[in-house]
Amino acid sequence: MTDNRIDYYPTHEHEGIKFRRGHTLPFGATMVANGVNFSIYSSASTSCTLVLFERGEAEPFAEIPFPDEFRIGNVYSMIVFELNYERLEYGYRMDGPYNPAAGLRFNKSLILSDPYAKVIGGRDTWLNKPNWDNVYQYRSRLAFEDFDWEHDHPLETPIEDLVIYEMHVRGFTKHESSGVKNPGTFSAIRSKVAYLKELGINCVELLPIYEFDEWENSRESPTTGEVLVNYWGYSTVNFFAPKAGYAATGKFGMQVDEVKTLIKELHKSGIEVMLDVVFNHTAEGDHRGPTISFRGIDNKTYYMLTPEGYYFNFSGTGNTLNCNNPVVRNMVLDCLRYWASEYHIDGFRFDLAAILGRAQDGRPLSNPPLLESLAFDPILAKCKLIAEAWDAGGLYQVGSFPAYGRWAEWNGKYRDSVRKFLKSDPGEVGGMIQRVMGSPDLYSLRGPTASINFITCHDGFSLYDMFAYNEKHNEANGENNNDGANDNNSWNCGWEGETSDPAINFLRHKQVKNALAILLVSQGVPMVLMGDEVGRTQKGNNNTYCQDNDLNWFDWTQQETNADLYNFARGMINFRRVHPVLRSPTHFQYWDYVGSGYPDISFHGTKAWNCDRSASSRSFAFLLCGDHAKQGIVKDDMVYVAMNMYWGGLHFELPALPPEKKWYLFANTDMPSPVDIYENGQESLLANQSDFLVGSRSVVILIGK
Amino acid sequence: MNVTSSTVEAITVIEASGSIDSKTAPEFERTAIAAIQGQKEVIIDLTNVEFLSSAGLRVLLMIYRQVKTQSGKVVLVGTSEEIQDIMANTGFLSFFITVDTLDEGIKTLKAS
């Protein structure tokens, strides 16, 4: 090693450990020649001590107070020499006043995790019982950042071409039926890449993978006696470290390489990776919660506090991260840049993102600097940014989220319209017309790609349960069924829960297919919830955040037992992918701007060219002209979709095609499997080219070619 | 950890035993890097290695990268199932040819 730099040599010594003044940036612990550079910000502390552990040891092997001259501004930094990168665990003690009313909660008896740690030890194997007496529970560690990506690069798939699959890392393969090595891990997902590919998915959105503590608020289920845990993980311990318990190699501290290997593998199959990120709060809870990191390092910087020093709670979980404090803003930016560049992440979905637009005192900002910075960041320039555009404090911004030309939104109005329409509510046709067009009523200036369309997500009923339950059944959560949403717009098809009645079961499956069909022919970006393609059930539980069991795990036998649903879902997803006319990046213009003789989109009813939008109407059809696909850049077939949510069959007069084309049936949810859907290219020529009887509560898809 | 290098039928063989972690990896690296200089065919015999840490895996990849720049090949011999599993989970395995015995390793390299 060349040693022609002065800072290759220590200048200080403390109990045999050699060190010197460090570099203030970057924050965190960084490997440098001969040593490790530690840098941490704290505005209100009076002094800081670096605490060093041999991996897993109860007592630290050294505690080095930062000499005063090592602090520049509010940043302490030092380089410590001859540390064992791999065996090292570190933390900090911060000294300062304990004065909650002033927002100060220093306690130097505690050892604190580094907010910028790239690996966290302490919860290395999922549900391995921790030692609660450990003086330091969540240990900061170093990461090797030398991964061999070979030729990999984020995929940069146009957002309108994505089919997003929202999945839980553990839940996807934990069920014994998955038949994989290391079930429930990042690594195991690699064994199922072929499944995702066959299904037609080209983007997985992972529920939180930042380090969290599955033991947080753990307790016993009153109905099953099972331990209830923090299964979803919406409670971040550290924003830079992947969840060790999700890694087969977590016990060896190799989760960083394991996650990167998974991403590299997914990318090879053309599948993007999006992360569900939770910047609205942390795992430290309110004033009664544990002090893990932020609270003890700089409480009033990291959290939104009331004038009395208590925690604002716009997240419904006790605390709210102070996202528009410039220091915290930089941390969020550093974090996303790190995941985009170091992990090749393709996009981010921001949990309760309305909070990111609130000022430090909680007011919604008209021009939130954090959202603007993310939108214009050079490193995040090609990442998808998706907001859950509401928060638990009542700020609802669907259609009005500050987008800066970049941000897309989870379209909650899409979910509600489609659910109501599917259960035959009156007065929904007008809304549905907006939804299938990519919600121009909400996104007139932003285009359909601002709309992430979904009918179900982890939060709420699964798609099958939407048609098996009128009411939520959350007793297993131990909160007297008071948790979870009540406005589900679900319909049990005539019987609450499981039944052997074949007519009800046929209708339920038909409704699942109707939902998938509508979702996948709508403009915008569809998102499918893991397992909905095989009729996954949560037994009526619409808030399974704490259930580490069959309620959440993907049961792979359902691919056989509900083969009709799987076949239909796969067919619909791939239908979308072969028909660019379904994936417009801009809103329709309602006129024929390519000279095909048809407008880009037209609406129909039981009479062609006549759509009944009245309150009593429960059906409509639309026709997409393939010559207008991608604004006329590519040629596609004509696609005609009829949706009849009336409880009787209706004859739909078909719009006339140009003489050289004929109508072919692609899908008819009223038919039993396998004649409910055809392979792409194998569609069935219609005997009657002018009229189609659309069954009760059915969706019919035709193509004209 | 103990590490030795030898030449068998004109192929460089590096043999390690014990546990390769951040403490012992530097020695493994020094011996291995010295042995592979100018070599295109390298066998790393891990039959007697009980554990390979992150640092150990990185030495293997470093050897691979150096041999690869000369269009050479690296074969791992006798990698235990546990170590293979770790290497598969973390993406290191895909860079190497793995066989069970030294003889197989020599045959593999001679055949290619």
Side-chain angles (χ1 to χ4, degrees):
Chain A
M1 185 182 295
T2 53
D3 59 356
N4 56 352
R5 284 181 58 120
I6 292 162
D7 61 0
Y8 286 175
Y9 299 94
T11 53
H12 291 57
E13 189 170 334
H14 179 85
E15 294 170 0
I17 308 276
K18 293 178 173 151
F19 61 102
R20 67 171 292 119
R21 181 190 294 272
H23 304 286
T24 49
L25 289 175
F27 292 153
T30 314
M31 296 183 199
V32 295
N34 292 355
V36 178
N37 185 68
F38 297 91
S39 175
I40 186 161
Y41 161 91
S42 172
S43 69
S45 60
T46 51
S47 70
C48 176
T49 301
L50 176 67
V51 187
L52 303 173
F53 290 82
E54 175 79 7
R55 183 174 289 193
E57 291 298 316
E59 295 299 323
F61 68 81
E63 300 210 17
I64 312 171
F66 282 83
D68 280 347
E69 72 268 23
F70 284 16
R71 185 181 55 75
I72 304 281
N74 291 327
V75 178
Y76 302 91
S77 58
M78 77 165 84
I79 292 171
V80 183
F81 292 85
E82 289 173 11
L83 292 175
N84 184 335
Y85 297 142
E86 204 169 59
R87 303 286 308 161
L88 181 74
E89 293 180 333
Y90 71 99
Y92 295 98
R93 291 186 197 277
M94 287 284 175
D95 200 2
Y98 183 82
N99 182 358
L104 304 170
R105 290 176 182 269
F106 290 104
N107 180 350
K108 70 173 175 186
S109 72
L110 300 173
I111 306 169
L112 305 164
S113 283
D114 180 2
Y116 276 77
K118 305 305 187 295
V119 176
I120 293 286
R123 297 292 183 270
D124 299 345
T125 307
W126 179 267
L127 276 185
N128 215 8
K129 205 157 213 156
N131 171 8
W132 303 107
D133 298 327
N134 194 327
V135 291
Y136 183 36
Q137 298 272 332
Y138 310 93
R139 298 185 170 207
S140 303
R141 291 183 185 166
L142 298 169
F144 288 96
E145 281 158 11
D146 57 352
F147 187 73
D148 194 340
W149 282 102
E150 298 172 277
H151 301 294
D152 186 73
H153 174 274
L155 298 181
E156 300 179 12
T157 310
I159 188 169
E160 64 272 16
D161 292 342
L162 293 185
V163 180
I164 302 172
Y165 189 72
E166 192 204 36
M167 66 186 268
H168 189 281
V169 168
R170 180 170 167 82
F172 192 52
T173 60
K174 184 56 194 164
H175 196 276
E176 60 181 2
S177 63
S178 72
V180 299
K181 213 170 188 180
N182 306 304
T185 64
F186 293 113
S187 180
I189 295 173
R190 285 164 55 205
S191 311
K192 298 293 185 185
V193 171
Y195 172 85
L196 295 170
K197 216 172 141 98
E198 186 191 61
L199 186 59
I201 295 302
N202 59 4
C203 176
V204 293
E205 179 179 316
L206 305 178
L207 259 65
I209 66 159
Y210 292 171
E211 186 60 59
F212 64 90
D213 185 3
E214 65 272 23
W215 289 98
E216 185 186 346
N217 298 322
S218 59
R219 60 199 189 281
E220 209 174 76
S221 165
T223 55
T224 63
E226 274 185 276
V227 60
L228 299 177
V229 299
N230 172 15
Y231 174 81
W232 281 352
Y234 285 90
S235 196
T236 307
V237 165
N238 176 287
F239 295 104
F240 293 82
K243 174 83 187 122
Y246 283 170
T249 58
K251 58 177 183 270
F252 306 115
M254 298 187 198
Q255 56 268 30
V256 172
D257 286 324
E258 186 172 326
V259 176
K260 290 175 180 176
T261 298
L262 168 63
I263 294 166
K264 187 159 90 170
E265 193 84 10
L266 286 164
H267 281 178
K268 274 185 196 157
S269 290
I271 300 171
E272 293 202 344
V273 181
M274 223 178 254
L275 298 186
D276 185 345
V277 295
V278 194
F279 289 108
N280 55 73
H281 73 286
T282 75
E284 294 189 305
D286 63 14
H287 59 284
R288 296 162 299 187
T291 298
I292 298 170
S293 174
F294 310 98
R295 189 203 306 284
I297 288 169
D298 212 19
N299 189 51
K300 64 178 187 168
T301 291
Y302 287 109
Y303 294 114
M304 283 192 202
L305 301 174
T306 67
E308 299 77 32
Y310 284 98
Y311 293 87
F312 272 123
N313 184 8
F314 297 115
S315 54
T317 49
N319 63 49
T320 303
L321 202 69
N322 196 7
C323 292
N324 277 308
N325 173 294
V327 170
V328 185
R329 220 151 64 200
N330 281 344
M331 181 184 74
V332 174
L333 193 58
D334 288 344
C335 171
L336 296 171
R337 286 173 162 178
Y338 175 74
W339 284 95
S341 54
E342 197 56 46
Y343 283 86
H344 292 194
I345 293 296
D346 302 276
F348 302 94
R349 175 267 185 193
F350 295 75
D351 188 58
L352 301 184
I355 281 175
L356 277 59
R358 286 184 186 267
Q360 297 194 54
D361 61 2
R363 280 175 301 116
L365 291 159
S366 60
N367 193 22
L370 174 56
L371 300 178
E372 187 182 32
S373 308
L374 297 180
F376 293 100
D377 186 73
I379 295 167
L380 303 175
K382 302 286 164 59
C383 280
K384 280 87 178 176
L385 303 177
I386 299 170
E388 185 186 34
W390 56 84
D391 69 22
L395 188 55
Y396 190 81
Q397 297 181 308
V398 172
S400 63
F401 192 79
Y404 303 99
R406 276 291 302 281
W407 286 80
E409 296 172 5
W410 267 26
N411 188 346
K413 290 186 177 168
Y414 182 93
R415 173 198 59 206
D416 298 343
S417 290
V418 175
R419 286 182 175 204
K420 288 178 192 167
F421 180 66
L422 282 168
K423 72 183 179 75
S424 310
D425 278 5
E428 291 299 326
V429 169
M432 280 300 296
I433 284 173
Q434 296 292 331
R435 300 306 147 238
V436 298
M437 287 196 298
S439 299
D441 58 335
L442 301 173
Y443 308 114
S444 61
L445 299 175
R446 297 158 61 183
T449 56
S451 178
I452 306 298
N453 297 329
F454 68 106
I455 300 168
T456 53
C457 63
H458 66 279
D459 210 353
F461 280 137
S462 68
L463 192 57
Y464 174 82
D465 286 1
M466 279 266 304
F467 306 111
Y469 297 92
N470 283 349
E471 308 294 333
K472 66 184 181 185
H473 297 272
N474 297 358
E475 289 77 9
N477 296 351
E479 296 171 51
N480 298 318
N481 208 27
N482 290 322
D483 60 312
N486 295 315
D487 52 341
N488 296 293
N489 295 311
S490 65
W491 174 50
N492 66 16
C493 296
W495 181 263
E496 189 76 352
E498 292 301 297
T499 172
S500 54
D501 184 327
I504 291 178
N505 284 328
F506 181 81
L507 179 54
R508 285 178 179 171
H509 279 224
K510 183 159 77 164
Q511 288 282 56
V512 168
K513 293 174 193 173
N514 289 339
L516 290 167
I518 293 170
L519 178 67
L520 288 153
V521 299
S522 296
Q523 303 293 321
V525 185
M527 184 179 83
V528 177
L529 170 63
M530 173 188 102
D532 277 353
E533 74 275 22
V534 296
R536 191 175 70 84
T537 178
Q538 296 173 180
K539 306 264 190 293
N541 191 318
N542 77 352
N543 187 32
T544 56
Y545 73 101
C546 55
Q547 303 289 342
D548 182 28
N549 51 45
D550 286 355
L551 290 186
N552 274 319
W553 297 344
F554 189 114
D555 177 354
W556 291 85
T557 63
Q558 286 188 307
Q559 201 187 343
E560 297 300 321
T561 53
N562 287 330
D564 62 321
L565 296 181
Y566 173 72
N567 186 51
F568 191 87
R570 183 183 58 80
M572 277 310 310
I573 291 169
N574 285 291
F575 180 72
R576 181 180 184 87
R577 295 197 56 186
V578 300
H579 289 292
V581 75
L582 298 169
R583 311 191 310 264
S584 179
T586 57
H587 283 306
F588 292 118
Q589 299 178 35
Y590 286 107
W591 67 290
D592 178 12
Y593 56 86
V594 300
S596 65
Y598 294 81
D600 49 3
I601 189 169
S602 51
F603 288 92
H604 309 266
T606 51
K607 283 203 166 323
W609 305 99
N610 281 286
C611 179
D612 179 3
R613 303 177 190 220
S614 68
S616 62
S617 171
R618 292 171 172 89
S619 65
F620 72 101
F622 65 83
L623 173 66
L624 303 176
C625 169
D627 287 353
H628 288 84
K630 304 263 182 187
Q631 297 91 54
I633 295 166
V634 292
K635 287 255 186 250
D636 197 354
D637 302 324
M638 305 287 268
V639 173
Y640 173 84
V641 182
M643 306 178 188
N644 175 22
M645 291 306 128
Y646 182 60
W647 41 87
L650 295 173
H651 283 277
F652 278 66
E653 183 195 350
L654 302 178
L657 286 169
E660 73 280 10
K661 291 187 193 238
K662 295 272 187 230
W663 284 121
Y664 291 78
L665 177 65
F666 170 68
N668 180 357
T669 63
D670 199 36
M671 298 298 285
S673 184
V675 290
D676 54 345
I677 193 163
Y678 292 83
E679 291 294 327
N680 289 302
Q682 313 276 309
E683 303 86 356
S684 169
L685 179 66
L686 293 186
N688 182 345
Q689 288 282 314
S690 57
D691 179 282
F692 198 102
L693 174 60
V694 181
S696 63
R697 295 191 175 101
S698 297
V699 174
V700 166
I701 301 172
L702 307 179
I703 62 164
K705 60 176 180 179
Chain B
M1 204 251 344
N2 192 32
V3 56
T4 58
S5 70
S6 59
T7 305
V8 181
E9 298 186 35
I11 292 170
T12 303
V13 178
I14 298 154
E15 193 187 343
S17 62
S19 189
I20 306 177
D21 58 21
S22 52
K23 271 208 178 82
T24 56
E27 192 196 336
F28 177 44
E29 185 181 328
R30 269 193 303 275
T31 307
I33 297 295
I36 64 167
Q37 292 313 309
Q39 303 300 313
K40 284 191 171 183
E41 294 178 331
V42 173
I43 288 175
I44 305 173
D45 191 342
L46 300 171
T47 309
N48 295 311
V49 171
E50 294 138 23
F51 178 71
L52 259 178
S53 75
S54 267
L57 292 173
R58 282 169 162 77
V59 177
L60 293 186
L61 199 59
M62 194 180 295
I63 295 168
Y64 167 82
R65 281 281 164 228
Q66 294 206 5
V67 175
K68 186 85 197 293
T69 54
Q70 318 209 30
S71 306
K73 282 203 168 72
V74 180
V75 172
L76 302 185
V77 164
T79 321
S80 73
E81 198 182 330
E82 192 190 10
I83 292 176
Q84 282 205 37
D85 197 29
I86 294 171
M87 290 182 72
N89 291 330
T90 49
F92 287 89
L93 195 61
S94 59
F95 294 101
F96 301 96
I97 304 161
T98 52
V99 297
D100 291 339
T101 64
L102 188 58
D103 279 355
E104 275 180 77
I106 290 165
K107 268 187 211 144
T108 305
L109 285 174
K110 293 276 176 207
S112 62

